[in-house]
Amino acid sequence: MLLISKVLLLDTRCLLLHCKVHSQWIYTGGFKFLHHTVQVTAVISYDYLTAFKHVEYGTEEYWALKSKVHLRSAERLRDLCCANRGTFIKVGQHLGALDYLLPEEYTSTLKVLHSRAPQSTMEEIQQVIREDLGKELSELFVSFEEKPQGAASLAQVHKAVLHDGRTVAVKVQHPKVQRQSSKDIAVIEVLLRAVHWLFPDFAFMWLVEEAKKNMPLELDFLNEGRNAEKVTKMLAHFPFLKVPVIHWHLSTKRILTMEFAEGGQVNDRDYMKKHGISVNEISESLGKMYSEMIFVHGFVHCDPHPGNVLVRKCPQSKKTEIVLLDHGLYQVLQPDFRLDYCRLWQALIKGDMPGVERYSRRLGAGALYPLFACVLTARSWTAVNAGISSVPVTHSEDVEIRTNASLYLPQISELLNRVPRQMLLLLKTNDLLRGIETTLQTRASSSSFINMSRCCIRAMARHKRSKAQSRRRRLQITLAESLSLWRLYMYELFLWTKGSMLVHWLTALLSYLH
């Protein structure tokens, strides 16, 4: 234990040198923060190094013990994130979303961080508003609820009423997050390097790379507002999608004021039942929306956890709507990457194994392409070989995949370091969407594959048209696209007819007459 602590403390010397210019931070709690963080990391590392010394690998006793070590380590990590707040909670939430990539003990334990985020005091909120907008609350709002509607790792949201009577949601950044985030990332980087030195199979440096790239964007609420407006225009043809309108005159880098939209969380089945909202309709609409973002536009909302996806009946039209919140984290896919990703999913849906291998390798998976295909789809290799659209998801297969996340952690770690950085947020997004489908009990539905296929066909046709040299060739591509979409529509109609009550009734009647 002492050796591990020395290794970790040795690496923190680099961090302290890095922080010399921030001496005020060190004198006002930085050492205490570092000491606690290093201590928890050392305890977790020591636990993994010593727990299995007297247990034979592969036995039932070994796997039972490993599950216990995973669980207590996850609980220590969760408590550390809660204590350090800010970036630590954000990284913990990211890990908690990787259901099919990390052991279940970690994901289930870290998921609570979505509801354990810190809250700023009302005095702190007023100070941020005063500094950024130059006015007091009473000058800007008729009323401003002190209790936040929700608190996240970087900000919290308050309900307020403008002087013209409109109700708004005011998202205010926690005051210390901006200046603390770079130090938090530096600490995480040093500790991950030290842990990688102790456990070479633990190669999660991609976490730091992602945090360095994405944190400045997420801390700029003006960027979030621009993303919200861009996705609104991009998906304007979906009448079921609602993105709150931004009030730019009351928004800054640390404050985002937007239209207030009520609704129940997308995983709240009781709310849906009470308001007459179909879970199948919601699941299908989510699939359409995300397939369009990923395959057609390459501009992807990457944080669809239940708190950011609300469902409701529109107050005016009474039609079902999905309200998409928190537009700080988007992934922009490069055209070549997006097209290879399209081709890979088409191969996965059809069970085209040469295509699965070819496009997995082109996306950086190399010899780990079978693992990549299973990670991407959260399906077994047997299901991948058969074509994921033709083999329904079973509970036993789901359990198998989650168990394998623990068994193949070193290989998964290597894979995540190997694939393009664009893939990392897509994997997180896929897992969050699958989590919603699991809660809604719609994972076995074929509609998601049909929507994906439709968007892949459109994306590939658009790409071919852009490369075509003649009007005739462009017409041929458009006709081929229309034919493929028509076949898909007919297949969808066949599935609907097969599953409709009318067919069941006629089958029962014919059986009775016979």
Side-chain angles (χ1 to χ4, degrees), residues 345-390:
W345 270 105
Q346 285 180 312
L348 287 164
I349 290 168
K350 294 173 185 174
D352 169 16
M353 297 315 295
V356 169
E357 180 177 358
R358 184 185 312 116
Y359 296 114
S360 293
R361 287 182 180 276
R362 282 176 64 164
L363 288 168
L368 292 173
Y369 75 88
L371 177 64
F372 181 56
C374 294
V375 161
L376 193 60
T377 59
R379 302 296 304 271
S380 67
W381 184 237
T382 304
V384 170
N385 272 274
I388 55 174
S389 63
S390 58

mmCIF file of all heavy atoms in Angstrom, residues 345-390:
data_model
loop_
_atom_site.group_PDB
_atom_site.id
_atom_site.type_symbol
_atom_site.label_atom_id
_atom_site.label_comp_id
_atom_site.label_asym_id
_atom_site.label_seq_id
_atom_site.Cartn_x
_atom_site.Cartn_y
_atom_site.Cartn_z
ATOM 1 N N TRP A 345 -23.032 -0.372 -40.194
ATOM 2 C CA TRP A 345 -24.350 -0.704 -39.646
ATOM 3 C C TRP A 345 -25.209 -1.459 -40.666
ATOM 4 O O TRP A 345 -25.964 -2.358 -40.305
ATOM 5 C CB TRP A 345 -25.069 0.557 -39.159
ATOM 6 C CG TRP A 345 -24.763 0.841 -37.721
ATOM 7 C CD1 TRP A 345 -23.933 1.795 -37.228
ATOM 8 C CD2 TRP A 345 -25.263 0.129 -36.588
ATOM 9 N NE1 TRP A 345 -23.891 1.730 -35.856
ATOM 10 C CE2 TRP A 345 -24.698 0.718 -35.430
ATOM 11 C CE3 TRP A 345 -26.137 -0.943 -36.422
ATOM 12 C CZ2 TRP A 345 -24.976 0.277 -34.142
ATOM 13 C CZ3 TRP A 345 -26.411 -1.394 -35.137
ATOM 14 C CH2 TRP A 345 -25.842 -0.793 -34.015
ATOM 15 N N GLN A 346 -25.088 -1.114 -41.935
ATOM 16 C CA GLN A 346 -25.821 -1.867 -42.965
ATOM 17 C C GLN A 346 -25.369 -3.326 -42.977
ATOM 18 O O GLN A 346 -26.185 -4.242 -43.097
ATOM 19 C CB GLN A 346 -25.594 -1.225 -44.344
ATOM 20 C CG GLN A 346 -26.375 0.072 -44.542
ATOM 21 C CD GLN A 346 -26.132 0.686 -45.911
ATOM 22 O OE1 GLN A 346 -24.990 0.823 -46.350
ATOM 23 N NE2 GLN A 346 -27.197 1.063 -46.591
ATOM 24 N N ALA A 347 -24.048 -3.536 -42.838
ATOM 25 C CA ALA A 347 -23.509 -4.904 -42.802
ATOM 26 C C ALA A 347 -23.976 -5.639 -41.551
ATOM 27 O O ALA A 347 -24.316 -6.834 -41.601
ATOM 28 C CB ALA A 347 -21.981 -4.857 -42.856
ATOM 29 N N LEU A 348 -24.020 -4.953 -40.409
ATOM 30 C CA LEU A 348 -24.457 -5.568 -39.147
ATOM 31 C C LEU A 348 -25.931 -5.972 -39.209
ATOM 32 O O LEU A 348 -26.315 -7.031 -38.720
ATOM 33 C CB LEU A 348 -24.222 -4.600 -37.986
ATOM 34 C CG LEU A 348 -22.766 -4.401 -37.547
ATOM 35 C CD1 LEU A 348 -22.633 -3.155 -36.672
ATOM 36 C CD2 LEU A 348 -22.255 -5.631 -36.806
ATOM 37 N N ILE A 349 -26.744 -5.116 -39.801
ATOM 38 C CA ILE A 349 -28.183 -5.400 -39.894
ATOM 39 C C ILE A 349 -28.435 -6.604 -40.796
ATOM 40 O O ILE A 349 -29.273 -7.459 -40.501
ATOM 41 C CB ILE A 349 -28.938 -4.146 -40.402
ATOM 42 C CG1 ILE A 349 -28.931 -3.060 -39.309
ATOM 43 C CG2 ILE A 349 -30.373 -4.482 -40.786
ATOM 44 C CD1 ILE A 349 -29.382 -1.689 -39.783
ATOM 45 N N LYS A 350 -27.670 -6.703 -41.894
ATOM 46 C CA LYS A 350 -27.877 -7.793 -42.858
ATOM 47 C C LYS A 350 -27.152 -9.083 -42.476
ATOM 48 O O LYS A 350 -27.423 -10.139 -43.050
ATOM 49 C CB LYS A 350 -27.376 -7.358 -44.242
ATOM 50 C CG LYS A 350 -28.158 -6.221 -44.869
ATOM 51 C CD LYS A 350 -27.463 -5.766 -46.156
ATOM 52 C CE LYS A 350 -28.132 -4.551 -46.751
ATOM 53 N NZ LYS A 350 -27.367 -4.024 -47.911
ATOM 54 N N GLY A 351 -26.184 -8.992 -41.559
ATOM 55 C CA GLY A 351 -25.366 -10.170 -41.255
ATOM 56 C C GLY A 351 -24.302 -10.396 -42.312
ATOM 57 O O GLY A 351 -23.875 -11.534 -42.551
ATOM 58 N N ASP A 352 -23.846 -9.319 -42.946
ATOM 59 C CA ASP A 352 -22.810 -9.391 -43.975
ATOM 60 C C ASP A 352 -21.446 -9.372 -43.278
ATOM 61 O O ASP A 352 -20.859 -8.315 -43.041
ATOM 62 C CB ASP A 352 -22.964 -8.187 -44.918
ATOM 63 C CG ASP A 352 -21.787 -8.013 -45.866
ATOM 64 O OD1 ASP A 352 -21.000 -8.962 -46.027
ATOM 65 O OD2 ASP A 352 -21.653 -6.909 -46.442
ATOM 66 N N MET A 353 -20.905 -10.566 -42.952
ATOM 67 C CA MET A 353 -19.704 -10.647 -42.135
ATOM 68 C C MET A 353 -18.444 -10.084 -42.814
ATOM 69 O O MET A 353 -17.640 -9.432 -42.144
ATOM 70 C CB MET A 353 -19.474 -12.086 -41.668
ATOM 71 C CG MET A 353 -20.593 -12.611 -40.770
ATOM 72 S SD MET A 353 -21.098 -11.417 -39.489
ATOM 73 C CE MET A 353 -19.620 -11.317 -38.508
ATOM 74 N N PRO A 354 -18.239 -10.321 -44.125
ATOM 75 C CA PRO A 354 -17.086 -9.660 -44.764
ATOM 76 C C PRO A 354 -17.173 -8.135 -44.641
ATOM 77 O O PRO A 354 -16.168 -7.461 -44.417
ATOM 78 C CB PRO A 354 -17.184 -10.109 -46.227
ATOM 79 C CG PRO A 354 -17.907 -11.417 -46.168
ATOM 80 C CD PRO A 354 -18.911 -11.259 -45.063
ATOM 81 N N GLY A 355 -18.404 -7.594 -44.776
ATOM 82 C CA GLY A 355 -18.599 -6.151 -44.624
ATOM 83 C C GLY A 355 -18.345 -5.690 -43.197
ATOM 84 O O GLY A 355 -17.751 -4.627 -42.969
ATOM 85 N N VAL A 356 -18.794 -6.487 -42.225
ATOM 86 C CA VAL A 356 -18.570 -6.156 -40.807
ATOM 87 C C VAL A 356 -17.071 -6.055 -40.535
ATOM 88 O O VAL A 356 -16.601 -5.098 -39.907
ATOM 89 C CB VAL A 356 -19.214 -7.216 -39.881
ATOM 90 C CG1 VAL A 356 -18.750 -7.022 -38.437
ATOM 91 C CG2 VAL A 356 -20.734 -7.137 -39.957
ATOM 92 N N GLU A 357 -16.305 -7.047 -41.021
ATOM 93 C CA GLU A 357 -14.856 -7.026 -40.802
ATOM 94 C C GLU A 357 -14.204 -5.841 -41.527
ATOM 95 O O GLU A 357 -13.403 -5.105 -40.939
ATOM 96 C CB GLU A 357 -14.218 -8.331 -41.284
ATOM 97 C CG GLU A 357 -12.707 -8.343 -41.079
ATOM 98 C CD GLU A 357 -12.036 -9.639 -41.484
ATOM 99 O OE1 GLU A 357 -12.744 -10.581 -41.901
ATOM 100 O OE2 GLU A 357 -10.791 -9.709 -41.390
ATOM 101 N N ARG A 358 -14.577 -5.646 -42.800
ATOM 102 C CA ARG A 358 -13.950 -4.585 -43.605
ATOM 103 C C ARG A 358 -14.137 -3.210 -42.965
ATOM 104 O O ARG A 358 -13.171 -2.461 -42.767
ATOM 105 C CB ARG A 358 -14.541 -4.587 -45.016
ATOM 106 C CG ARG A 358 -13.877 -3.566 -45.959
ATOM 107 C CD ARG A 358 -14.570 -3.511 -47.325
ATOM 108 N NE ARG A 358 -14.778 -4.839 -47.874
ATOM 109 C CZ ARG A 358 -15.974 -5.390 -48.108
ATOM 110 N NH1 ARG A 358 -17.083 -4.698 -47.862
ATOM 111 N NH2 ARG A 358 -16.078 -6.594 -48.608
ATOM 112 N N TYR A 359 -15.381 -2.898 -42.624
ATOM 113 C CA TYR A 359 -15.645 -1.540 -42.132
ATOM 114 C C TYR A 359 -15.263 -1.362 -40.667
ATOM 115 O O TYR A 359 -14.954 -0.251 -40.247
ATOM 116 C CB TYR A 359 -17.099 -1.163 -42.409
ATOM 117 C CG TYR A 359 -17.378 -1.111 -43.891
ATOM 118 C CD1 TYR A 359 -18.241 -2.019 -44.500
ATOM 119 C CD2 TYR A 359 -16.712 -0.193 -44.706
ATOM 120 C CE1 TYR A 359 -18.454 -2.004 -45.874
ATOM 121 C CE2 TYR A 359 -16.919 -0.167 -46.078
ATOM 122 C CZ TYR A 359 -17.783 -1.073 -46.653
ATOM 123 O OH TYR A 359 -17.968 -1.059 -48.008
ATOM 124 N N SER A 360 -15.249 -2.434 -39.891
ATOM 125 C CA SER A 360 -14.731 -2.348 -38.512
ATOM 126 C C SER A 360 -13.241 -2.029 -38.546
ATOM 127 O O SER A 360 -12.756 -1.208 -37.759
ATOM 128 C CB SER A 360 -14.965 -3.669 -37.770
ATOM 129 O OG SER A 360 -16.336 -3.897 -37.570
ATOM 130 N N ARG A 361 -12.525 -2.695 -39.445
ATOM 131 C CA ARG A 361 -11.091 -2.426 -39.576
ATOM 132 C C ARG A 361 -10.852 -0.990 -40.055
ATOM 133 O O ARG A 361 -9.925 -0.317 -39.581
ATOM 134 C CB ARG A 361 -10.445 -3.417 -40.540
ATOM 135 C CG ARG A 361 -10.291 -4.830 -39.961
ATOM 136 C CD ARG A 361 -9.589 -5.763 -40.933
ATOM 137 N NE ARG A 361 -9.443 -7.108 -40.397
ATOM 138 C CZ ARG A 361 -8.461 -7.509 -39.589
ATOM 139 N NH1 ARG A 361 -7.525 -6.641 -39.223
ATOM 140 N NH2 ARG A 361 -8.396 -8.751 -39.162
ATOM 141 N N ARG A 362 -11.679 -0.517 -40.978
ATOM 142 C CA ARG A 362 -11.520 0.852 -41.473
ATOM 143 C C ARG A 362 -11.806 1.881 -40.377
ATOM 144 O O ARG A 362 -11.314 3.016 -40.431
ATOM 145 C CB ARG A 362 -12.430 1.094 -42.677
ATOM 146 C CG ARG A 362 -11.831 0.473 -43.941
ATOM 147 C CD ARG A 362 -12.725 0.584 -45.148
ATOM 148 N NE ARG A 362 -12.975 1.957 -45.562
ATOM 149 C CZ ARG A 362 -13.466 2.279 -46.759
ATOM 150 N NH1 ARG A 362 -13.731 1.327 -47.639
ATOM 151 N NH2 ARG A 362 -13.684 3.528 -47.076
ATOM 152 N N LEU A 363 -12.594 1.478 -39.385
ATOM 153 C CA LEU A 363 -12.890 2.372 -38.255
ATOM 154 C C LEU A 363 -11.920 2.171 -37.087
ATOM 155 O O LEU A 363 -12.167 2.639 -35.981
ATOM 156 C CB LEU A 363 -14.333 2.158 -37.790
ATOM 157 C CG LEU A 363 -15.397 2.693 -38.752
ATOM 158 C CD1 LEU A 363 -16.780 2.199 -38.376
ATOM 159 C CD2 LEU A 363 -15.375 4.225 -38.794
ATOM 160 N N GLY A 364 -10.821 1.433 -37.352
ATOM 161 C CA GLY A 364 -9.739 1.364 -36.368
ATOM 162 C C GLY A 364 -9.747 0.172 -35.441
ATOM 163 O O GLY A 364 -8.888 0.068 -34.562
ATOM 164 N N ALA A 365 -10.698 -0.766 -35.588
ATOM 165 C CA ALA A 365 -10.797 -1.884 -34.647
ATOM 166 C C ALA A 365 -9.713 -2.933 -34.864
ATOM 167 O O ALA A 365 -9.375 -3.682 -33.934
ATOM 168 C CB ALA A 365 -12.179 -2.533 -34.754
ATOM 169 N N GLY A 366 -9.174 -3.016 -36.078
ATOM 170 C CA GLY A 366 -8.134 -4.005 -36.359
ATOM 171 C C GLY A 366 -8.608 -5.422 -36.112
ATOM 172 O O GLY A 366 -9.745 -5.783 -36.427
ATOM 173 N N ALA A 367 -7.733 -6.235 -35.503
ATOM 174 C CA ALA A 367 -8.063 -7.639 -35.239
ATOM 175 C C ALA A 367 -9.152 -7.790 -34.177
ATOM 176 O O ALA A 367 -9.717 -8.877 -34.006
ATOM 177 C CB ALA A 367 -6.807 -8.395 -34.816
ATOM 178 N N LEU A 368 -9.462 -6.714 -33.479
ATOM 179 C CA LEU A 368 -10.509 -6.759 -32.447
ATOM 180 C C LEU A 368 -11.900 -6.500 -33.044
ATOM 181 O O LEU A 368 -12.831 -6.181 -32.308
ATOM 182 C CB LEU A 368 -10.224 -5.728 -31.349
ATOM 183 C CG LEU A 368 -8.996 -5.988 -30.462
ATOM 184 C CD1 LEU A 368 -8.741 -4.805 -29.543
ATOM 185 C CD2 LEU A 368 -9.186 -7.249 -29.636
ATOM 186 N N TYR A 369 -12.037 -6.653 -34.359
ATOM 187 C CA TYR A 369 -13.325 -6.328 -34.993
ATOM 188 C C TYR A 369 -14.506 -7.148 -34.449
ATOM 189 O O TYR A 369 -15.617 -6.629 -34.370
ATOM 190 C CB TYR A 369 -13.221 -6.449 -36.520
ATOM 191 C CG TYR A 369 -13.200 -7.854 -37.072
ATOM 192 C CD1 TYR A 369 -14.379 -8.525 -37.369
ATOM 193 C CD2 TYR A 369 -12.000 -8.524 -37.285
ATOM 194 C CE1 TYR A 369 -14.369 -9.820 -37.871
ATOM 195 C CE2 TYR A 369 -11.977 -9.810 -37.785
ATOM 196 C CZ TYR A 369 -13.168 -10.458 -38.073
ATOM 197 O OH TYR A 369 -13.158 -11.728 -38.555
ATOM 198 N N PRO A 370 -14.330 -8.457 -34.065
ATOM 199 C CA PRO A 370 -15.492 -9.161 -33.478
ATOM 200 C C PRO A 370 -15.965 -8.506 -32.177
ATOM 201 O O PRO A 370 -17.173 -8.340 -31.956
ATOM 202 C CB PRO A 370 -14.964 -10.576 -33.233
ATOM 203 C CG PRO A 370 -13.801 -10.728 -34.153
ATOM 204 C CD PRO A 370 -13.169 -9.371 -34.195
ATOM 205 N N LEU A 371 -15.001 -8.118 -31.326
ATOM 206 C CA LEU A 371 -15.352 -7.437 -30.080
ATOM 207 C C LEU A 371 -15.995 -6.090 -30.381
ATOM 208 O O LEU A 371 -16.986 -5.701 -29.746
ATOM 209 C CB LEU A 371 -14.096 -7.240 -29.223
ATOM 210 C CG LEU A 371 -14.278 -6.473 -27.913
ATOM 211 C CD1 LEU A 371 -15.203 -7.231 -26.960
ATOM 212 C CD2 LEU A 371 -12.923 -6.221 -27.237
ATOM 213 N N PHE A 372 -15.473 -5.386 -31.375
ATOM 214 C CA PHE A 372 -16.022 -4.078 -31.753
ATOM 215 C C PHE A 372 -17.473 -4.207 -32.187
ATOM 216 O O PHE A 372 -18.327 -3.399 -31.790
ATOM 217 C CB PHE A 372 -15.170 -3.489 -32.880
ATOM 218 C CG PHE A 372 -15.622 -2.134 -33.349
ATOM 219 C CD1 PHE A 372 -15.741 -1.076 -32.469
ATOM 220 C CD2 PHE A 372 -15.910 -1.905 -34.694
ATOM 221 C CE1 PHE A 372 -16.148 0.180 -32.903
ATOM 222 C CE2 PHE A 372 -16.313 -0.660 -35.141
ATOM 223 C CZ PHE A 372 -16.427 0.390 -34.246
ATOM 224 N N ALA A 373 -17.767 -5.225 -32.997
ATOM 225 C CA ALA A 373 -19.142 -5.442 -33.471
ATOM 226 C C ALA A 373 -20.075 -5.722 -32.287
ATOM 227 O O ALA A 373 -21.211 -5.216 -32.253
ATOM 228 C CB ALA A 373 -19.183 -6.603 -34.454
ATOM 229 N N CYS A 374 -19.615 -6.495 -31.315
ATOM 230 C CA CYS A 374 -20.444 -6.814 -30.137
ATOM 231 C C CYS A 374 -20.632 -5.586 -29.245
ATOM 232 O O CYS A 374 -21.722 -5.345 -28.725
ATOM 233 C CB CYS A 374 -19.800 -7.951 -29.337
ATOM 234 S SG CYS A 374 -19.768 -9.525 -30.210
ATOM 235 N N VAL A 375 -19.560 -4.801 -29.079
ATOM 236 C CA VAL A 375 -19.629 -3.584 -28.262
ATOM 237 C C VAL A 375 -20.585 -2.570 -28.892
ATOM 238 O O VAL A 375 -21.399 -1.941 -28.214
ATOM 239 C CB VAL A 375 -18.213 -2.978 -28.102
ATOM 240 C CG1 VAL A 375 -18.279 -1.515 -27.694
ATOM 241 C CG2 VAL A 375 -17.415 -3.763 -27.076
ATOM 242 N N LEU A 376 -20.486 -2.413 -30.202
ATOM 243 C CA LEU A 376 -21.290 -1.420 -30.918
ATOM 244 C C LEU A 376 -22.779 -1.745 -30.876
ATOM 245 O O LEU A 376 -23.626 -0.861 -30.722
ATOM 246 C CB LEU A 376 -20.817 -1.348 -32.374
ATOM 247 C CG LEU A 376 -21.303 -0.186 -33.223
ATOM 248 C CD1 LEU A 376 -20.883 1.142 -32.624
ATOM 249 C CD2 LEU A 376 -20.768 -0.313 -34.644
ATOM 250 N N THR A 377 -23.112 -3.026 -30.996
ATOM 251 C CA THR A 377 -24.521 -3.444 -31.072
ATOM 252 C C THR A 377 -25.084 -3.920 -29.744
ATOM 253 O O THR A 377 -26.290 -4.060 -29.608
ATOM 254 C CB THR A 377 -24.666 -4.596 -32.086
ATOM 255 O OG1 THR A 377 -23.838 -5.699 -31.660
ATOM 256 C CG2 THR A 377 -24.252 -4.165 -33.478
ATOM 257 N N ALA A 378 -24.186 -4.182 -28.758
ATOM 258 C CA ALA A 378 -24.584 -4.820 -27.495
ATOM 259 C C ALA A 378 -25.295 -6.144 -27.758
ATOM 260 O O ALA A 378 -26.285 -6.477 -27.114
ATOM 261 C CB ALA A 378 -25.458 -3.898 -26.654
ATOM 262 N N ARG A 379 -24.775 -6.876 -28.749
ATOM 263 C CA ARG A 379 -25.302 -8.189 -29.098
ATOM 264 C C ARG A 379 -24.177 -9.219 -29.054
ATOM 265 O O ARG A 379 -23.001 -8.877 -29.174
ATOM 266 C CB ARG A 379 -25.927 -8.183 -30.508
ATOM 267 C CG ARG A 379 -27.050 -7.174 -30.715
ATOM 268 C CD ARG A 379 -28.261 -7.443 -29.851
ATOM 269 N NE ARG A 379 -28.807 -8.773 -30.031
ATOM 270 C CZ ARG A 379 -29.728 -9.089 -30.945
ATOM 271 N NH1 ARG A 379 -30.174 -8.161 -31.780
ATOM 272 N NH2 ARG A 379 -30.215 -10.321 -31.025
ATOM 273 N N SER A 380 -24.551 -10.494 -28.925
ATOM 274 C CA SER A 380 -23.562 -11.567 -28.912
ATOM 275 C C SER A 380 -22.998 -11.780 -30.318
ATOM 276 O O SER A 380 -23.604 -11.368 -31.318
ATOM 277 C CB SER A 380 -24.204 -12.859 -28.418
ATOM 278 O OG SER A 380 -25.167 -13.316 -29.362
ATOM 279 N N TRP A 381 -21.847 -12.449 -30.396
ATOM 280 C CA TRP A 381 -21.234 -12.722 -31.693
ATOM 281 C C TRP A 381 -22.136 -13.617 -32.535
ATOM 282 O O TRP A 381 -22.177 -13.503 -33.760
ATOM 283 C CB TRP A 381 -19.860 -13.345 -31.483
ATOM 284 C CG TRP A 381 -19.079 -13.586 -32.734
ATOM 285 C CD1 TRP A 381 -18.568 -14.761 -33.161
ATOM 286 C CD2 TRP A 381 -18.696 -12.617 -33.723
ATOM 287 N NE1 TRP A 381 -17.894 -14.601 -34.348
ATOM 288 C CE2 TRP A 381 -17.958 -13.295 -34.728
ATOM 289 C CE3 TRP A 381 -18.917 -11.248 -33.866
ATOM 290 C CZ2 TRP A 381 -17.437 -12.648 -35.844
ATOM 291 C CZ3 TRP A 381 -18.399 -10.600 -34.987
ATOM 292 C CH2 TRP A 381 -17.677 -11.290 -35.964
ATOM 293 N N THR A 382 -22.889 -14.508 -31.877
ATOM 294 C CA THR A 382 -23.842 -15.378 -32.589
ATOM 295 C C THR A 382 -24.910 -14.538 -33.283
ATOM 296 O O THR A 382 -25.234 -14.756 -34.457
ATOM 297 C CB THR A 382 -24.519 -16.353 -31.605
ATOM 298 O OG1 THR A 382 -23.511 -17.092 -30.925
ATOM 299 C CG2 THR A 382 -25.452 -17.308 -32.330
ATOM 300 N N ALA A 383 -25.454 -13.556 -32.557
ATOM 301 C CA ALA A 383 -26.487 -12.676 -33.126
ATOM 302 C C ALA A 383 -25.912 -11.825 -34.252
ATOM 303 O O ALA A 383 -26.572 -11.589 -35.271
ATOM 304 C CB ALA A 383 -27.081 -11.790 -32.037
ATOM 305 N N VAL A 384 -24.669 -11.361 -34.096
ATOM 306 C CA VAL A 384 -24.023 -10.550 -35.127
ATOM 307 C C VAL A 384 -23.860 -11.368 -36.407
ATOM 308 O O VAL A 384 -24.121 -10.879 -37.517
ATOM 309 C CB VAL A 384 -22.660 -10.024 -34.629
ATOM 310 C CG1 VAL A 384 -21.867 -9.390 -35.771
ATOM 311 C CG2 VAL A 384 -22.858 -8.993 -33.524
ATOM 312 N N ASN A 385 -23.447 -12.623 -36.270
ATOM 313 C CA ASN A 385 -23.271 -13.493 -37.436
ATOM 314 C C ASN A 385 -24.581 -13.738 -38.169
ATOM 315 O O ASN A 385 -24.612 -13.847 -39.397
ATOM 316 C CB ASN A 385 -22.664 -14.833 -37.013
ATOM 317 C CG ASN A 385 -21.152 -14.810 -37.012
ATOM 318 O OD1 ASN A 385 -20.521 -15.037 -38.037
ATOM 319 N ND2 ASN A 385 -20.567 -14.496 -35.866
ATOM 320 N N ALA A 386 -25.687 -13.826 -37.417
ATOM 321 C CA ALA A 386 -26.988 -14.102 -38.020
ATOM 322 C C ALA A 386 -27.620 -12.853 -38.625
ATOM 323 O O ALA A 386 -28.533 -12.941 -39.450
ATOM 324 C CB ALA A 386 -27.924 -14.699 -36.980
ATOM 325 N N GLY A 387 -27.132 -11.671 -38.228
ATOM 326 C CA GLY A 387 -27.762 -10.411 -38.657
ATOM 327 C C GLY A 387 -28.641 -9.910 -37.529
ATOM 328 O O GLY A 387 -29.644 -10.545 -37.196
ATOM 329 N N ILE A 388 -28.272 -8.785 -36.916
ATOM 330 C CA ILE A 388 -28.937 -8.357 -35.676
ATOM 331 C C ILE A 388 -30.411 -8.023 -35.870
ATOM 332 O O ILE A 388 -31.173 -8.015 -34.908
ATOM 333 C CB ILE A 388 -28.203 -7.161 -35.023
ATOM 334 C CG1 ILE A 388 -28.071 -6.005 -36.018
ATOM 335 C CG2 ILE A 388 -26.838 -7.587 -34.513
ATOM 336 C CD1 ILE A 388 -27.486 -4.744 -35.407
ATOM 337 N N SER A 389 -30.824 -7.753 -37.110
ATOM 338 C CA SER A 389 -32.234 -7.439 -37.335
ATOM 339 C C SER A 389 -33.108 -8.690 -37.349
ATOM 340 O O SER A 389 -34.331 -8.604 -37.194
ATOM 341 C CB SER A 389 -32.407 -6.680 -38.656
ATOM 342 O OG SER A 389 -32.004 -7.491 -39.746
ATOM 343 N N SER A 390 -32.487 -9.854 -37.535
ATOM 344 C CA SER A 390 -33.278 -11.088 -37.667
ATOM 345 C C SER A 390 -33.314 -11.911 -36.383
ATOM 346 O O SER A 390 -34.051 -12.880 -36.288
ATOM 347 C CB SER A 390 -32.711 -11.957 -38.801
ATOM 348 O OG SER A 390 -31.357 -12.263 -38.572
#
